[in-house]
Amino acid sequence: MVEVSNLKKSFGTLEVLNNVSFEVKKGEVVAVIGPSGSGKSTMLRSLVHLEQVSGGSICVEGDYLVKEGVYTNQQGIKRVTSKMGMVFQHFHLFPHLTVRGNLELAPRLVKGETKEESRKKAEELLQKVGLADKAEVYPAKLSGGQKQRVAIARALMMSPAIMLFDEPTSALDPELTGEVLQVIKQLAREHMTMIVVTHEMGFAREVADQIIFMDNGEIIEVGTPDQLFLNPRFERTKAFLQRSLK
């Protein structure tokens, strides 16, 4: 589904991504872990062209967003990025729209869906994330966990082939984290292809098919949760896990 090879990204002299390569198969959940500032979010944002890379290739379902540092045309960029739904750390809901309005806006504007089509889909997805009773509520009246669940439903409205999550619980209180992780776990059970940047080690261990450990802009180690948590091969991975699992 996703093939990333030799991704490079620099801000001036600071190298943020250095030869990052990995693959994600259909239906697979990949968790990306690592210390703050290790390039995890930059890598994720590059996949949907929110960051421009300076080298390497990104291919989604056989379609290149960038090939050896050269981006496809505007139409191609739109086509590739529309295959992916992105959920950010800080929700980014429109405050002047109700929950339902937040969900229905993009399908109507971008996909030209009718009011009936988008309404039906919005109702189904709000049911799925446990917020059917919040359709007419404005974001200011929601808890952080509810806002994040609305953000997930909004991304799913575009029927993406792949979901990307950038630290989806790091802005939440611990008691609200569970309700968001529950929704992501449900998507995993439905075999949604996902890449999740997370600091929730228990969640990564339980849900991911493979885990990528990044540090200083590089992928240090890739493996199954058991391989990575029980028998890490590199000292940097061991040191990070010891700190994170305390």
Side-chain angles (χ1 to χ4, degrees):
M1 287 287 270
V2 181
E3 206 173 333
V4 171
S5 49
N6 303 322
L7 222 52
K8 292 184 178 67
K9 166 83 180 168
S10 301
F11 293 115
T13 54
L14 179 68
E15 210 165 36
V16 191
L17 296 176
N18 181 17
N19 283 332
V20 167
S21 301
F22 65 93
E23 286 180 6
V24 183
K25 299 185 181 74
K26 189 175 172 59
E28 199 170 43
V29 180
V30 174
V32 186
I33 63 172
S36 295
S38 57
K40 306 182 300 292
S41 292
T42 304
M43 179 276 290
L44 202 68
R45 290 166 64 86
S46 304
L47 300 182
V48 282
H49 199 236
L50 290 172
E51 299 281 0
Q52 199 150 344
V53 297
S54 32
S57 305
I58 297 169
C59 186
V60 181
E61 291 191 310
D63 217 349
Y64 278 96
L65 172 68
V66 55
K67 192 172 186 179
E68 290 169 11
V70 180
Y71 279 87
T72 180
N73 58 26
Q74 212 48 48
Q75 202 180 352
I77 288 172
K78 210 167 163 184
R79 188 178 61 245
V80 177
T81 54
S82 72
K83 296 169 191 247
M84 293 173 275
M86 177 104 173
V87 176
F88 300 89
Q89 198 172 340
H90 292 293
F91 333 126
H92 297 311
L93 300 177
F94 296 113
H96 64 291
L97 294 176
T98 61
V99 165
R100 189 201 300 280
N102 267 282
L103 264 65
E104 293 179 4
L105 184 66
R108 287 195 199 166
L109 284 180
V110 180
K111 287 187 156 185
E113 281 185 12
T114 65
K115 191 173 179 176
E116 289 69 33
E117 285 173 323
S118 59
R119 175 117 329 166
K120 184 171 182 291
K121 206 184 225 170
E123 282 168 4
E124 285 168 6
L125 285 169
L126 286 175
Q127 188 79 45
K128 186 188 189 89
V129 299
L131 293 171
D133 58 335
K134 301 290 184 193
E136 302 308 328
V137 172
Y138 286 88
K141 294 273 193 288
L142 299 175
S143 71
Q146 289 170 332
K147 286 177 188 169
Q148 194 59 294
R149 286 185 282 154
V150 172
I152 295 171
R154 183 175 63 176
L156 291 169
M157 283 290 287
M158 300 299 283
S159 307
I162 300 148
M163 282 287 280
L164 310 178
F165 294 89
D166 188 9
E167 304 250 10
T169 59
S170 64
L172 302 178
D173 296 334
E175 66 270 20
L176 299 175
T177 294
E179 63 190 52
V180 173
L181 295 181
Q182 221 36 62
V183 173
I184 302 174
K185 285 176 188 176
Q186 181 56 39
L187 292 175
R189 286 193 287 271
E190 293 165 8
H191 306 294
M192 166 65 86
T193 308
M194 294 188 276
I195 304 174
V196 186
V197 169
T198 185
H199 61 284
E200 297 285 341
M201 295 300 135
F203 166 76
R205 193 168 182 170
E206 183 188 341
V207 177
D209 297 294
Q210 63 167 328
I211 295 182
I212 292 172
F213 170 62
M214 285 183 76
D215 195 10
N216 288 336
E218 297 177 306
I219 290 181
I220 306 299
E221 193 163 348
V222 180
T224 65
D226 279 356
Q227 283 168 342
L228 222 85
F229 283 101
L230 301 177
N231 195 18
R233 290 174 23 231
F234 295 96
E235 279 309 317
R236 270 202 271 180
T237 318
K238 278 179 200 163
F240 171 74
L241 290 173
Q242 272 163 1
R243 284 197 309 274
S244 305
L245 295 170
K246 272 178 184 167

